[in-house]
Amino acid sequence: MSQESLNILSTSVHKVNAALQKQNFDIVIEQTTKGLNQLHQIHFHLLSARIIAYEQKNELDQAYNDSIVMTNEFPNSALGYIHTTNILMKRRKSEQAFTTCNNALQQELVAPSDPNYEDLVQLYRSVIDRRKQKEKIDFMKILPKEIVSIILEYLRMRDRLICLNVSQCWRQTILDCPNALCSWILGPFSAQRDLRVGYENIQLISEYLRELHIFSLESDQQAFKAVVNMLDNVKFHHLRTFSLYASSIDRVRLWKILDNSKYTLEELYFTFASTRISFVDILSRCKNIKNLTFDTTRPLGYSNNPPLPLSLTHLKIHAEQIGKMELQAVLETGENLQELTIGYCHAGLLMTFTKWGSKSLYHVVLNPDRFDPADTIIEYQTTLKGQEVKKVNSMTKKYITSGKMIGVYDCDDVTAQLLLPLLKKYENTTEALSVAVSQEGDEGPLYWREFTGYGTPLIKFLKLGITDKTEPIFASVIRNCPALEVIEFCESRLTDITFDALQSISSREEWTGGLRCFVIRGDEDGPKTRVSDKGLRSFFEFYASLGKKSTLEEVRLEFIFGIQAFTLRALSQIKSLKHINLAGTLEENELVMDTAIRPFSNSSSLPLLEYVSFDQIPITDEGIEQIDCKHIKLHGLDDITTAGVEAMIDNSNVLKYLEVTGCQDVEYEPVLNLTKISGIKLSFTV
């Protein structure tokens, strides 16, 4: 704004006043037009000055508002666009800055004759250069390796292999991340997809791969062929863990894997595999093996040559009817065995364990369930099945899978006379006992009478399958285990005798612990097991009466008969509960059941509750609408609908994980959309 402009404006005002007095209106019009033009210029310069002042004071909002006014009132002036662009760049809004300059120049709003036109062009070029620099930022260069490793964990192996080919920088950064390429799971869901990236990349990562798991390829022949071709073309020299589950890879290829990694291999799982590789093949090649699971339909064929490696501490064998001589050979050469599981065997092997078992053994199990890959490989379900929700395990799992335990499952003719010597041998280490009585009728007490006095303060876990006649015997065992924390009954018809025994150990003041987990499990496929509703209700009422002193955290009632809704209401009064599982449990109608389960919520009723599972029980939408806790599982509920699940989600305050499986009237898409909006992880199976 110049002094000349002010002088012209002042002169015009004087001339207008004089012309009005003389009524010389032509001069009035001429001078007022000249003055208004000068006023317009003054307004322009005043706006520009105020914008500069606001910018210097870092009051960018006010400066930006004035710059917008300037560009609107003076759209053909370059200065307004220059001010607006500079402010946007200071506010780190480079895209808006680019749009402002681009519109002014590309739409020819500003003429080249404008005194600030060249400045606007230079600013436009500067904005373009900054955009290019931003686009060229390689975050792989600037992020710490720890952050890159976390990002890579969210990618499937195929995507990680593709990332190796982006640039030399990306390749080296990924290879420098210790866990990025260490584990690979190949199954019918992933093998073909992952192996499309080419064998050169796979050969590259084979030097870094530490775990290779191959699962269930029999169901997908194309995936099977892709894996076989990969094994023919790629060598793995540094594997520490190798799993082959339900996939018949031929023995020559398996020999190749074992031979190439014979110095590094520490964990090996061969399960449900129709391969002809033998137990001896494995022992002769894997000298440093620590953990071996070998499941075959063929005889074990072992007679202490070669001996078990000294490194071997965990061994699971499922083979065709293992005999005493084979087990003796395993025990004699397995000097450092700590865990030994034998499948398909008879009760007589207990004597072999007693005679030949080493002092280092602390986990001995006969005839357990067969190997499940999800038990060993945590990522199995999420990687292969694409599920976001991880499996919730019972407290029983830690004892059954790796605790200091002696377990006898499905062994005909097991008796106290066979079992007690083994328990005596390991009495100072055994914390868990699992046993099932096979003798029916009056034979039971005859074979188990000696067990009446068994029990030690070390026992924390009992898994029992008992009969009516042997119930008093095992009730005394419960009373003799004052430190008992977890108890599970399988297909056992329980009466008040057992429930009174359980209450007695929790009433003793000399023991600071207490029962934490209570499970009754019937036969899912057979007739449901009846239990005493009166005794169970009294048991729940006892723990409810303890209030804050209650130790009971987990209750699972699965496929049992005779339980009434009033008993579930008593269960809902136990404030210490964190985990509830009801499966095929009640014969009540839907209306009664809806009322019974309504208190199962993370609220004032059960403030610590984290997990609820309803499986094949008669409940409706009205029953589940108010259920709320961190993790909810709904399975096989034929009377609930999409609307009920949506209402449950809408009403929840703490729900983070939801599993819906086998609920025929619940639709996937509406539930998925609502869980995404609510930030809830969903696992859904029809």
Side-chain angles (χ1 to χ4, degrees):
M1 181 174 59
S2 64
Q3 185 63 40
E4 182 182 356
S5 297
L6 292 174
N7 292 337
I8 293 173
L9 180 60
S10 177
T11 301
S12 296
V13 171
H14 288 301
K15 288 182 178 180
V16 166
N17 289 333
L20 282 173
Q21 291 177 0
K22 296 178 181 179
Q23 295 187 348
N24 190 345
F25 298 113
D26 289 334
I27 294 176
V28 171
I29 293 171
E30 177 186 349
Q31 292 300 319
T32 53
T33 301
K34 187 182 294 186
L36 286 171
N37 287 336
Q38 293 302 318
L39 190 60
H40 195 60
Q41 290 295 320
I42 291 171
H43 183 203
F44 175 85
H45 289 296
L46 288 174
L47 269 177
S48 179
R50 190 162 70 174
I51 291 169
I52 293 171
Y54 277 141
E55 279 191 77
Q56 292 300 317
K57 293 183 67 179
N58 204 31
E59 295 177 6
L60 298 182
D61 288 339
Q62 293 90 331
Y64 179 74
N65 292 336
D66 277 357
S67 70
I68 294 300
V69 171
M70 193 171 188
T71 54
N72 289 336
E73 292 189 12
F74 305 96
N76 302 116
S77 171
L79 192 57
Y81 299 108
I82 291 172
H83 281 311
T84 303
T85 301
N86 283 328
I87 295 166
L88 288 171
M89 292 300 290
K90 286 183 178 181
R91 297 170 74 177
R92 298 184 179 180
K93 296 184 177 181
S94 55
E95 287 301 316
Q96 286 182 251
F98 171 79
T99 302
T100 300
C101 284
N102 189 64
N103 289 343
L105 294 172
Q106 297 300 323
Q107 297 179 22
E108 298 183 350
L109 299 177
V110 180
S113 58
D114 188 289
N116 297 301
Y117 180 84
E118 288 300 325
D119 292 337
L120 180 60
V121 172
Q122 290 297 326
L123 182 60
Y124 183 45
R125 291 172 180 165
S126 175
V127 171
I128 291 174
D129 289 339
R130 288 197 186 184
R131 285 183 81 217
K132 289 181 178 178
Q133 287 178 0
K134 186 177 181 180
E135 290 173 355
K136 288 181 179 179
I137 292 177
D138 189 342
F139 291 101
M140 199 66 85
K141 290 182 178 179
I142 62 175
L143 288 176
K145 289 176 183 176
E146 294 79 9
I147 303 298
V148 174
S149 294
I150 294 172
I151 294 171
L152 291 172
E153 286 178 6
Y154 288 88
L155 301 181
R156 297 182 182 275
M157 179 59 79
R158 174 179 178 273
D159 300 319
R160 299 179 197 179
L161 295 176
I162 291 173
C163 288
L164 288 173
N165 291 331
V166 171
S167 68
Q168 190 63 38
C169 171
W170 278 48
R171 171 171 295 203
Q172 194 56 51
T173 302
I174 293 172
L175 294 179
D176 287 342
C177 293
N179 298 321
L181 302 168
C182 68
S183 180
W184 196 6
I185 298 178
L186 291 170
F189 304 93
S190 60
Q192 291 187 70
R193 179 194 64 224
D194 287 357
L195 293 174
R196 288 195 193 106
V197 298
Y199 296 126
E200 290 183 3
N201 280 331
I202 298 171
Q203 183 64 61
L204 174 65
I205 70 162
S206 68
E207 296 299 313
Y208 299 87
L209 201 66
R210 299 295 179 264
E211 298 182 16
L212 178 61
H213 310 284
I214 302 175
F215 289 120
S216 306
L217 295 183
E218 302 298 339
S219 61
D220 188 335
Q221 284 302 308
Q222 289 185 327
F224 175 76
K225 290 179 181 178
V227 170
V228 168
N229 289 334
M230 183 266 291
L231 295 177
D232 288 339
N233 287 277
V234 180
K235 294 181 179 180
F236 299 95
H237 291 286
H238 306 288
L239 289 180
R240 291 178 184 167
T241 302
F242 177 60
S243 301
L244 183 67
Y245 177 79
S247 303
S248 56
I249 307 295
D250 67 83
R251 68 190 301 187
V252 175
R253 290 187 174 90
L254 293 177
W255 283 348
K256 176 183 173 183
I257 293 174
L258 299 184
D259 288 338
N260 288 335
S261 295
K262 61 184 178 182
Y263 297 112
T264 59
L265 204 57
E266 296 179 352
E267 297 186 355
L268 186 60
Y269 304 91
F270 280 146
T271 59
F272 293 96
S274 56
T275 177
R276 291 183 175 273
I277 195 166
S278 69
F279 188 64
V280 172
D281 285 337
I282 296 171
L283 296 181
S284 62
R285 286 172 165 80
C286 304
K287 301 300 184 182
N288 298 313
I289 196 76
K290 295 180 180 179
N291 191 334
L292 172 60
T293 296
F294 184 72
D295 185 331
T296 178
T297 56
R298 299 164 60 83
L300 185 64
Y302 181 65
S303 57
N304 76 21
N305 189 23
L308 269 61
L310 293 175
S311 59
L312 187 61
T313 57
H314 297 67
L315 176 61
K316 294 180 181 179
I317 302 173
H318 291 257
E320 182 182 323
Q321 195 61 43
I322 296 175
K324 291 183 180 180
M325 297 304 294
E326 289 177 311
L327 178 57
Q328 180 179 333
V330 169
L331 292 172
E332 282 184 323
T333 62
E335 299 178 20
N336 296 321
L337 280 178
Q338 298 173 9
E339 297 187 18
L340 180 56
T341 299
I342 304 293
Y344 310 123
C345 61
H346 53 84
L349 292 186
L350 289 170
M351 291 188 293
T352 308
F353 271 108
T354 303
K355 183 175 182 180
W356 299 100
S358 68
K359 291 290 185 180
S360 62
L361 267 178
Y362 62 77
H363 187 90
V364 176
V365 178
L366 273 64
N367 290 348
D369 294 333
R370 295 181 77 177
F371 171 75
D372 181 355
D375 289 338
T376 302
I377 300 152
I378 298 173
E379 301 87 353
Y380 173 70
Q381 285 187 332
T382 54
T383 303
L384 293 188
K385 299 183 179 180
Q387 302 290 1
E388 293 188 26
V389 181
K390 291 185 178 180
K391 183 179 178 182
V392 175
N393 292 314
S394 169
M395 290 184 193
T396 61
K397 185 177 178 65
K398 74 172 185 177
Y399 291 104
I400 292 173
T401 56
S402 60
K404 296 178 179 179
M405 176 179 179
I406 292 177
V408 183
Y409 302 84
D410 299 326
C411 276
D412 293 336
D413 301 325
V414 62
T415 65
Q417 188 175 7
L418 290 172
L419 185 57
L420 281 173
L422 184 62
L423 291 172
K424 178 67 175 176
K425 180 172 183 174
Y426 294 106
E427 63 181 347
N428 294 325
T429 56
T430 302
E431 294 181 348
L433 171 64
S434 175
V435 62
V437 175
S438 59
Q439 297 84 1
E440 295 291 341
D442 294 333
E443 287 187 339
L446 179 64
Y447 287 106
W448 288 94
R449 188 177 296 115
E450 298 173 52
F451 217 66
T452 303
Y454 176 74
T456 76
L458 293 179
I459 294 292
K460 296 180 180 179
F461 170 78
L462 286 175
K463 181 176 181 180
L464 304 173
I466 59 179
T467 61
D468 296 346
K469 298 290 186 179
T470 57
E471 184 182 16
I473 294 173
F474 284 93
S476 70
V477 173
I478 293 171
R479 294 177 189 273
N480 294 334
C481 299
L484 192 64
E485 294 183 353
V486 180
I487 190 162
E488 177 177 349
F489 295 97
C490 297
E491 300 179 40
S492 303
R493 296 184 291 273
L494 304 181
T495 68
D496 295 356
I497 296 173
T498 297
F499 294 116
D500 289 344
L502 288 169
Q503 290 186 43
S504 72
I505 63 170
S506 299
S507 302
R508 300 178 187 176
E509 295 183 359
E510 65 268 26
W511 295 99
T512 57
L515 195 65
R516 299 177 59 207
C517 175
F518 175 76
V519 180
I520 309 179
R521 181 175 290 116
D523 186 356
E524 181 176 358
D525 300 319
K528 292 181 180 177
T529 304
R530 176 177 285 277
V531 300
S532 167
D533 178 68
K534 176 174 172 281
L536 183 61
R537 189 185 313 167
S538 174
F539 173 71
F540 290 155
E541 288 173 347
F542 169 75
Y543 272 93
S545 70
L546 295 178
K548 293 182 179 180
K549 293 183 179 179
S550 170
T551 56
L552 194 60
E553 299 178 6
E554 177 180 348
V555 171
R556 302 168 71 95
L557 307 177
E558 302 176 1
F559 307 105
I560 57 178
F561 178 70
I563 306 302
Q564 297 182 10
F566 289 108
T567 302
L568 291 186
R569 291 175 191 169
L571 173 64
S572 69
Q573 299 303 310
I574 303 174
K575 301 291 186 182
S576 56
L577 283 178
K578 297 180 180 180
H579 181 136
I580 298 174
N581 187 354
L582 302 180
T585 299
L586 295 109
E587 302 298 322
E588 300 278 7
N589 61 46
E590 291 88 343
L591 180 61
V592 175
M593 273 302 301
D594 286 344
T595 305
I597 69 165
R598 205 164 290 148
F600 294 156
S601 175
N602 181 268
S603 60
S604 57
S605 177
L606 294 171
L608 303 179
L609 191 64
E610 296 180 353
Y611 177 80
V612 169
S613 174
F614 298 130
D615 183 351
Q616 303 175 54
I617 61 174
I619 57 175
T620 68
D621 291 347
E622 188 175 348
I624 66 170
E625 285 178 354
Q626 301 302 320
I627 302 297
D628 189 19
C629 67
K630 183 178 179 181
H631 190 143
I632 297 176
K633 180 178 180 179
L634 309 173
H635 174 72
L637 305 181
D638 295 335
D639 299 313
I640 68 169
T641 67
T642 306
V645 176
E646 289 178 326
M648 181 186 72
I649 296 171
D650 285 333
N651 294 331
S652 71
N653 295 315
V654 296
L655 182 60
K656 297 296 181 184
Y657 307 98
L658 175 62
E659 296 181 72
V660 181
T661 61
C663 300
Q664 57 188 11
D665 292 326
V666 180
E667 299 176 16
Y668 173 64
E669 290 295 337
V671 175
L672 176 65
N673 292 335
L674 190 55
T675 52
K676 283 184 175 179
I677 293 171
S678 305
I680 297 169
K681 293 185 177 181
L682 174 68
S683 173
F684 193 102
T685 307
V686 179

